[in-house]
Amino acid sequence: MSLVYSTELGRVCPGCGQAVAQCTCKAKARPAGDGSVRISRETAGRKGKGVTVIRGLPLDDAALAACAKQLKALCGSGGTVKDGVVEIQGDHLDKLLAWLKARPEGWTVKRAGG
């Protein structure tokens, strides 16, 4: 049985035994994609509620969170960043596609799915 909480450290990583904030085993780099940013709409596993999903943004975690904040403000809805994937609540595919294509970084943005 492994330790998951300590009164001194708070939540503890079961892999390395360090506090979650100082965990080194979870700090794995995301695999490099093919260079394309893919945007799609998904409802699977969300009780029928649609979300717009953006995968493949070549940003680090801090920049990805800042980009997600801009995207949420643009759409006027909520969202989250999970494992390098940005999820925006609702069907905002066309608006987000246009915004990502207009960025000065020159990302290749593709629509994925149906």
Side-chain angles (χ1 to χ4, degrees):
M1 190 161 82
S2 64
L3 182 68
V4 293
Y5 188 82
S6 167
T7 54
E8 293 177 13
L9 302 174
R11 294 195 59 81
V12 177
C13 173
C16 62
Q18 298 290 325
V20 173
Q22 288 90 23
C23 176
T24 57
C25 63
K26 298 285 182 178
K28 298 175 185 170
R30 288 189 298 271
D34 61 353
S36 295
V37 176
R38 288 187 167 76
I39 183 168
S40 63
R41 184 175 178 272
E42 293 182 2
T43 58
R46 296 176 175 88
K47 299 180 183 179
K49 303 289 184 183
V51 295
T52 305
V53 179
I54 304 168
R55 290 184 171 86
L57 285 171
L59 301 172
D60 63 351
D61 290 337
L64 193 61
C67 182
K69 184 175 181 178
Q70 290 177 343
L71 294 172
K72 291 187 293 185
L74 174 73
C75 298
S77 64
T80 187
V81 177
K82 293 181 183 174
D83 299 325
V85 176
V86 178
E87 297 179 358
I88 306 293
Q89 295 173 353
D91 185 9
H92 303 285
L93 199 130
D94 295 328
K95 187 184 297 187
L96 294 175
L97 187 69
W99 188 84
L100 289 168
K101 282 186 178 181
R103 296 285 295 177
E105 288 88 355
W107 294 326
T108 303
V109 183
K110 296 180 180 179
R111 249 182 121 133

